[in-house]
Amino acid sequence: MAVDIQGADAARVHAADKTFVTVIDSENILSDQFGFKIVPNGIFLDEDGVIRFAKQGFRITEPDHFEAVEILIQDPKAHIELKDVYHITDETQSLEKQLAVTKFKLANEYLNSGKKDEALKEMDEALLLDPDNFLIRKQRWYIRYPENFSPTIDIEWQQVQLEKEKAEEAVKQGGQICGPEGCVIPGTSFPPNQVFSIKTKTNEI
Amino acid sequence: MAIGDTIPDFTLPDLNGNPVSIQNYRGKKVLIFMWASW
């Protein structure tokens, strides 16, 4: 399931030759329902459509993750506990997060109507409400700076850009956003047994 | 959405724009791998 806001055209080059079905969730409907803020993610359903496993930051190349899927295929009701945990600690009000999601959906509609500037404005505002939402942040990069995603994804540029944007957002919000380890882009380094956390401080309303 | 919930019914387009419904996969185990080109 590709979550690209640009739709099938962006996804096709990566998926056209695969034996499995690829669908496009360009409005991030499913990731919103799970509260995912990053990709990639893995969801396992049993034969009755019951969710048995939902992992934010799932990678089939990770031995633990691969093994989890093997276990679930044999026994869908198996309880899986992975050592690596992706979580964010924050005190953001849930209404702010909902507003961020709504603004992101509005941005999607603007893009569909060819209104790129209006879309970017909504995404800018959405990120101020939910700065840890990497689905929104990365989509915004892809639209604003497409040259850094083709022919290859420039991860170093992303790291520099993230630091810059966090500094700008910190000025707007009057607090430190990244933790002592600096700003982390989830999914760019993935040693097992490491806890990823980004502490945020947001203004209480 | 949490473990133990039933996945809600959804239909999304495939790469050619044809609708694919999750209901089509009842009776099968499903791994949904969610990714993006970025």
Side-chain angles (χ1 to χ4, degrees):
Chain A
M1 175 178 295
V3 299
D4 294 80
I5 202 172
Q6 289 83 356
D9 289 342
R12 192 173 291 115
V13 63
H14 301 284
D17 61 339
K18 300 291 187 282
T19 56
F20 49 79
V21 173
T22 294
V23 295
I24 311 292
D25 184 10
S26 55
E27 292 178 38
N28 294 6
I29 294 167
L30 206 66
S31 50
D32 285 347
Q33 288 184 331
F34 282 85
F36 291 145
K37 301 279 188 75
I38 61 169
V39 284
N41 305 304
I43 301 163
F44 189 91
L45 310 177
D46 68 17
E47 290 104 326
D48 300 319
V50 176
I51 300 162
R52 294 295 174 189
F53 174 76
K55 169 75 182 137
Q56 188 164 216
F58 174 86
R59 283 171 184 264
I60 203 72
T61 51
E62 274 298 309
D64 285 356
H65 297 189
F66 185 87
E67 193 190 340
V69 176
E70 285 186 311
I71 291 170
L72 286 161
I73 290 170
Q74 296 302 320
D75 177 15
K77 292 187 170 60
H79 174 70
I80 305 286
E81 220 169 274
L82 294 171
K83 294 191 206 96
D84 63 288
V85 175
Y86 180 83
H87 69 270
I88 297 170
T89 58
D90 69 56
E91 295 122 33
T92 307
Q93 304 254 10
S94 119
L95 281 174
E96 285 191 344
K97 294 247 186 75
Q98 286 175 43
L99 183 52
V101 166
T102 303
K103 281 185 169 286
F104 185 57
K105 288 180 180 171
L106 181 54
N108 199 3
E109 289 304 315
Y110 277 136
L111 276 176
N112 291 340
S113 317
K115 295 179 180 171
K116 195 167 112 174
D117 289 339
E118 286 88 336
L120 285 169
K121 177 175 168 291
E122 291 303 327
M123 287 174 134
D124 289 343
E125 290 172 13
L127 264 172
L128 284 177
L129 293 163
D130 193 2
D132 294 319
N133 194 319
F134 281 89
L135 292 182
I136 299 177
R137 193 179 295 276
K138 285 207 173 188
Q139 284 287 186
R140 189 178 69 168
W141 284 342
Y142 193 80
I143 293 162
R144 204 169 248 154
Y145 310 109
E147 66 277 6
N148 293 307
F149 292 86
S150 181
T152 58
I153 300 172
D154 189 343
I155 295 292
E156 280 160 17
W157 175 87
Q158 287 190 10
Q159 185 63 55
V160 171
Q161 186 67 18
L162 178 63
E163 306 269 355
K164 214 165 81 172
E165 288 178 4
K166 286 291 193 184
E168 287 165 3
E169 285 156 24
V171 167
K172 285 180 189 160
Q173 293 185 339
Q176 190 185 358
I177 304 284
C178 297
E181 304 86 22
C183 300
V184 178
I185 298 177
T188 51
S189 61
F190 206 88
N193 306 322
Q194 180 168 338
V195 172
F196 290 85
S197 68
I198 301 175
K199 294 199 171 59
T200 67
K201 193 199 292 186
T202 58
N203 294 330
E204 310 265 356
I205 294 180
Chain B
M1 281 283 104
I3 290 171
D5 291 344
T6 302
I7 194 87
D9 197 12
F10 66 84
T11 300
L12 291 170
D14 69 11
L15 291 173
N16 298 316
N18 302 314
V20 177
S21 170
I22 192 68
Q23 295 288 4
N24 294 348
Y25 293 86
R26 273 302 153 92
K28 295 186 186 172
K29 296 163 200 157
V30 177
L31 176 68
I32 301 175
F33 182 65
M34 194 184 281
W35 58 278
S37 63
W38 34 257

